[in-house]
Amino acid sequence: MFNVLIIDDEEEIVELIEVYLKNEGYKVYKAYNGKDGLEIIEKETIHLIILDIMMPDIDGIKVCMNIRKNYNTPIIMVSAKGQDIDKIQGLSTGADDYIVKPFNPMELVARAKSQIRRYIYLNDNKNSAEENSDEEVVEINGLKLNQKRHNVFLMGNEIKLTPTEYDILLLLAVNRGKVYSAEDIYKAIWKEKYFEGNNTVMAHMWRLREKIESNPKEPDIIKTVWGVGYKIE
């Protein structure tokens, strides 16, 4: 059984999400403020976090930043704020997905399933990998991706990436030289229809570069092909 934590100060929304998740067989933990949510994460094994942004004590942005200090658990942010700048802020602090209130509960469940599948797949493969000489390792400018272990090292130091960040980096790394537009990346990673003006990929790319580039503003690894997309040489 997989565990989902809902952190939201609106009890009606929490109860609604809980009903749909339990119908899918998930165990649900609930917190109505950021402090309680962070305490649950420290005590329980959580496979997905559904996090509201606007809360009275600690807002969702700060909660997300705190989580990302120690955990790569997937986070779906939920907010009444639907402007692009709000989505970018949420995603750039470490969230894997962003959904705007009011939302269709079934859409949220579908996204939850997708995030949990990827998270479990990455961790299962990482934990079950055996030491051998033919591990598939991609090396780029001091960066090493081990496809069997699903881990990433930069100059010998392990870099903590979220499942989404890892998937984006791996997509570009194993297809070196190929330019991927934001739409190409979105469809490949999220497997959903892409809409013009969607800044999800840009937000994740910004955070990924913050982790792997010595100078994110002048990246050496993930290059921008202006007007086209992204690539790794």
Side-chain angles (χ1 to χ4, degrees):
M1 179 180 290
F2 300 127
N3 302 329
V4 180
L5 170 62
I6 308 170
I7 309 176
D8 195 319
D9 63 324
E10 296 187 59
E11 292 190 24
E12 290 185 2
I13 290 180
V14 173
E15 301 302 322
L16 175 65
I17 297 172
E18 180 184 24
V19 169
Y20 278 86
L21 291 174
K22 282 188 171 180
N23 285 340
E24 296 296 328
Y26 297 121
K27 182 175 182 179
V28 177
Y29 292 85
K30 298 177 288 185
Y32 299 105
N33 59 68
K35 180 177 179 294
D36 289 347
L38 291 171
E39 289 179 356
I40 292 173
I41 292 168
E42 291 180 0
K43 296 175 182 178
E44 306 293 342
T45 299
I46 302 298
H47 302 100
L48 173 70
I49 300 162
I50 297 175
L51 175 63
D52 184 36
I53 289 183
M54 300 182 68
M55 291 185 292
D57 61 336
I58 310 173
D59 66 39
I61 298 296
K62 292 179 181 176
V63 172
C64 184
M65 292 172 69
N66 271 284
I67 294 170
R68 284 292 173 250
K69 290 177 182 178
N70 299 301
Y71 304 94
N72 70 341
T73 310
I75 298 172
I76 299 178
M77 277 194 170
V78 179
S79 177
K81 293 184 174 183
Q83 297 296 318
D84 285 346
I85 187 64
D86 299 312
K87 294 180 182 179
I88 292 172
Q89 183 183 22
L91 294 168
S92 63
T93 54
D96 294 274
D97 204 351
Y98 189 110
I99 190 167
V100 179
K101 296 178 180 178
F103 53 82
N104 182 329
M106 293 307 298
E107 179 184 356
L108 179 59
V109 169
R111 295 192 186 195
K113 287 182 177 179
S114 175
Q115 292 295 336
I116 291 174
R117 276 197 305 269
R118 290 165 58 206
Y119 179 65
I120 296 302
Y121 174 79
L122 288 178
N123 282 279
D124 281 354
N125 278 272
K126 183 175 180 178
N127 294 333
S128 63
E130 298 178 354
E131 292 285 352
N132 55 64
S133 60
D134 62 347
E135 290 182 319
E136 299 176 44
V137 177
V138 180
E139 298 188 37
I140 308 156
N141 294 350
L143 191 73
K144 290 185 179 182
L145 289 84
N146 188 308
Q147 295 185 65
K148 285 190 176 182
R149 293 183 175 275
H150 292 266
N151 52 23
V152 178
F153 288 84
L154 180 62
M155 301 300 180
N157 298 312
E158 186 168 9
I159 304 297
K160 291 184 178 180
L161 300 182
T162 67
T164 301
E165 292 163 355
Y166 177 86
D167 285 347
I168 292 173
L169 181 60
L170 182 64
L171 175 69
L172 297 177
V174 298
N175 295 282
R176 295 171 69 171
K178 181 177 179 179
V179 181
Y180 281 83
S181 67
E183 180 176 358
D184 294 333
I185 294 172
Y186 189 84
K187 288 180 177 179
I189 303 303
W190 281 267
K191 303 190 186 312
E192 295 179 1
K193 184 177 180 181
Y194 179 85
F195 295 96
E196 287 298 326
N198 187 330
N199 291 306
T200 300
V201 172
M202 182 178 70
H204 282 287
M205 193 65 70
W206 178 85
R207 184 169 175 80
L208 180 56
R209 281 172 165 166
E210 284 281 310
K211 293 182 178 182
I212 68 170
E213 301 281 2
S214 57
N215 182 359
K217 294 182 179 180
E218 297 180 6
D220 294 320
I221 299 172
I222 301 178
K223 302 285 189 179
T224 297
V225 180
W226 294 108
V228 184
Y230 307 93
K231 71 173 180 177
I232 290 177
E233 295 289 359

